[in-house]
Amino acid sequence: MNAPSAAPIDAAGRPVRLGLRENRLQFTLLVVVNVCVGGLVGLERTTVPLIGTETFGLTSGLAVFSFIIAFGTTKALTNLAAGALTARFRRKQLLITGWLIGIPVPFALAWAPSWGWIVAANVLLGLNQGLTWSMTVNMKIDLVGPARRGLATGLNEAAGYTAVGVTALLTGYLATTYGLRPVPELIGVVFVAAGLALSLVVRDTAAHVALELAHHSKPLPTGEATGLKATFARTSWHNRSLRGASQAGLVNNLNDGLTWGVFPLLFTDHGLGLAAVGLIKGLYPILWGLGQIPTGHLADRIGRKPLIVTGMLVQSVGFVLALALLDRPLLAGVLSAIFLGLGTAMVYPALIASVSDHAHPAWRANALGTYRFWRDIGYAAGALVAGILADAFGLDATVIAAAVLTACSGLFAARWITERPADC
């Protein structure tokens, strides 16, 4: 909802208005910050599973994927805490804290003397991503107001995941030329430095939240709890649409966690080199990222549910293609990456926008934190499932399991999720 003509004034004496155009400079700065956020996690997409097997001699799939379990669990818990922390700290403070925590990550990945150091670095990376990515999402939603949530989240996620893909592609080529370490990992220093510097410049959005609350068309129901405990239960189960979004987010990132660990090993086993694996691992998040600009806008026009359901089914097809064409591994990898990337691009901004639609501004940060908890615990779940199935039945079984789970998740989303309430 647009602010009235007599706009309130923020702490710095500037008029506060909601909207993308009205806040274009701050919004753009936050987009660039999220490029740095995505670039930091993109360091690991191509090389780290191979560092586990080739540098440290790991033979168990579960051991190799332990870094993803550490990352996903930490990021999920941080996402959950981030919603509650916004009640005590400003979003900008949490954003800066996330970058300070991320400073050691590229150095640890580059020179870790043992696999335990890699796992520890991923705990820090999870904390970094949970705080920085959560705050960029919340701050963009704060700035634009209800009418452009889909586009705002699409642009945010596009920036982050395009950076993930480009960095994965770049590290694959650097690893081909310079080896798995330390050169590919040290480009992360640039991301940390730039992300921290920009976060110091960007303005906080507390005044925008207050403005939306003051003019929200639906008052907070009497007695409705806004704390983390109540919101967690509401988002995880009690509200059908929020439940549907949470389970779809979990399975979506289960796919990402699974492909993160499995695809480099699967396609190198079938004869592809690091550059080709980097292409596959880069193409998936690049399409995922860039595709969210039109799909985020589309989610505002046709609704969230069609994109969520269709996107999950498209991802399922991507896993089927990875196995069906495996005798031609490069073709299999590229086609699988295309379907996974496009399917995820359809789902990602629509899910965040759907959660925002069904959450009152008074408890929206906690609802988004809860959703992002379930979504990012999918990284750990994917790595755990992949490790267990790979050790017991082989890598192919993990891909089959992902295809089935993703299709089922799409059907659950179709049953549970509704479009935004009429009064939002």
Side-chain angles (χ1 to χ4, degrees), residues 186-256:
L186 289 179
I187 59 175
V189 176
V190 177
F191 294 127
V192 173
L196 180 57
L198 290 171
S199 296
L200 291 169
V201 174
V202 74
R203 294 202 296 267
D204 193 71
T205 57
H208 295 80
V209 177
L211 176 61
E212 186 182 349
L213 270 171
H215 295 86
H216 196 261
S217 59
K218 181 182 179 182
L220 184 68
T222 303
E224 182 172 86
T226 61
L228 177 58
K229 182 178 179 180
T231 304
F232 184 88
R234 189 182 300 131
T235 307
S236 302
W237 185 254
H238 295 319
N239 183 295
R240 284 170 58 92
S241 289
L242 294 177
R243 179 205 317 161
S246 294
Q247 67 81 28
L250 187 152
V251 174
N252 183 89
N253 276 23
L254 180 146
N255 294 343
D256 191 26

Side-chain angles (χ1 to χ4, degrees), residues 4 25 53 58 63 69 71 122 172 192 207 298 300 339-340 352 370 397 410:
L25 177 58
T53 56
L58 302 179
I69 296 173
F71 167 80
N122 274 271
V192 173
L298 194 60
D300 289 330
F339 274 76
L340 286 167
I352 298 176
T370 300

Side-chain angles (χ1 to χ4, degrees), residues 1-366:
M1 177 179 294
N2 290 329
S5 56
I9 305 300
D10 68 11
R14 304 179 185 92
V16 177
R17 295 183 177 89
L18 301 181
L20 182 56
R21 182 175 299 176
E22 293 82 350
N23 297 284
R24 57 187 177 273
L25 177 58
Q26 292 302 307
F27 193 95
T28 301
L29 284 174
L30 287 166
V31 168
V32 179
V33 170
N34 218 44
V35 168
C36 300
V37 177
L40 188 60
V41 74
L43 293 176
E44 300 198 323
R45 290 297 172 122
T46 301
T47 59
V48 173
L50 299 172
I51 289 172
T53 56
E54 297 183 15
T55 303
F56 295 111
L58 302 179
T59 57
S60 164
L62 194 57
V64 173
F65 304 151
S66 60
F67 80 97
I68 306 173
I69 296 173
F71 167 80
T73 302
T74 306
K75 184 170 187 276
L77 291 171
T78 306
N79 287 337
L80 187 61
L85 288 170
T86 57
R88 297 190 175 191
F89 303 96
R90 292 187 177 271
R91 284 148 164 68
K92 178 175 178 176
Q93 293 173 318
L94 296 173
L95 181 64
I96 293 170
T97 300
W99 281 117
L100 293 174
I101 292 171
I103 290 173
V105 171
F107 302 103
L109 296 177
W111 287 297
S114 68
W115 185 247
W117 281 68
I118 300 289
V119 174
N122 274 271
V123 172
L124 295 179
L125 183 62
L127 289 167
N128 160 267
Q129 295 287 300
L131 288 174
T132 56
W133 209 310
S134 291
M135 291 309 107
T136 59
V137 168
N138 278 298
M139 292 171 83
K140 286 187 181 72
I141 290 173
D142 296 341
L143 290 172
V144 303
R148 291 291 180 266
R149 285 175 184 150
L151 180 59
T153 54
L155 290 169
N156 185 76
E157 304 302 285
Y161 284 101
T162 301
V164 171
V166 171
T167 306
L169 185 61
L170 178 59
T171 55
Y173 282 103
L174 289 174
T176 300
T177 304
Y178 300 103
L180 290 172
R181 298 196 301 171
V183 173
E185 292 76 23
L186 289 179
I187 59 175
V189 176
V190 177
F191 294 127
V192 173
L196 180 57
L198 290 171
S199 296
L200 291 169
V201 174
V202 74
R203 294 202 296 267
D204 193 71
T205 57
H208 295 80
V209 177
L211 176 61
E212 186 182 349
L213 270 171
H215 295 86
H216 196 261
S217 59
K218 181 182 179 182
L220 184 68
T222 303
E224 182 172 86
T226 61
L228 177 58
K229 182 178 179 180
T231 304
F232 184 88
R234 189 182 300 131
T235 307
S236 302
W237 185 254
H238 295 319
N239 183 295
R240 284 170 58 92
S241 289
L242 294 177
R243 179 205 317 161
S246 294
Q247 67 81 28
L250 187 152
V251 174
N252 183 89
N253 276 23
L254 180 146
N255 294 343
D256 191 26
L258 185 146
T259 60
W260 186 350
V262 168
F263 273 21
L265 304 181
L266 178 68
F267 290 115
T268 54
D269 284 351
H270 284 79
L272 295 186
L274 280 171
V277 171
L279 172 63
I280 294 167
K281 290 301 298 173
L283 184 60
Y284 167 28
I286 286 173
L287 290 173
W288 171 355
L290 292 176
Q292 289 181 86
I293 299 175
T295 60
H297 180 64
L298 194 60
D300 289 330
R301 295 179 64 86
I302 69 171
R304 324 307 192 189
K305 184 173 179 176
L307 290 169
I308 293 167
V309 175
T310 305
M312 297 304 289
L313 297 178
V314 169
Q315 289 181 60
S316 183
V317 172
F319 285 114
V320 172
L321 290 173
L323 288 185
L325 302 173
L326 202 50
D327 57 335
R328 301 172 67 184
L330 183 58
L331 178 63
V334 168
L335 286 178
S336 178
I338 290 172
F339 274 76
L340 286 167
L342 293 178
T344 308
M346 297 169 73
V347 166
Y348 235 66
L351 282 172
I352 298 176
S354 180
V355 173
S356 297
D357 291 342
H358 290 85
H360 192 279
W363 49 270
R364 187 175 62 210
N366 276 332

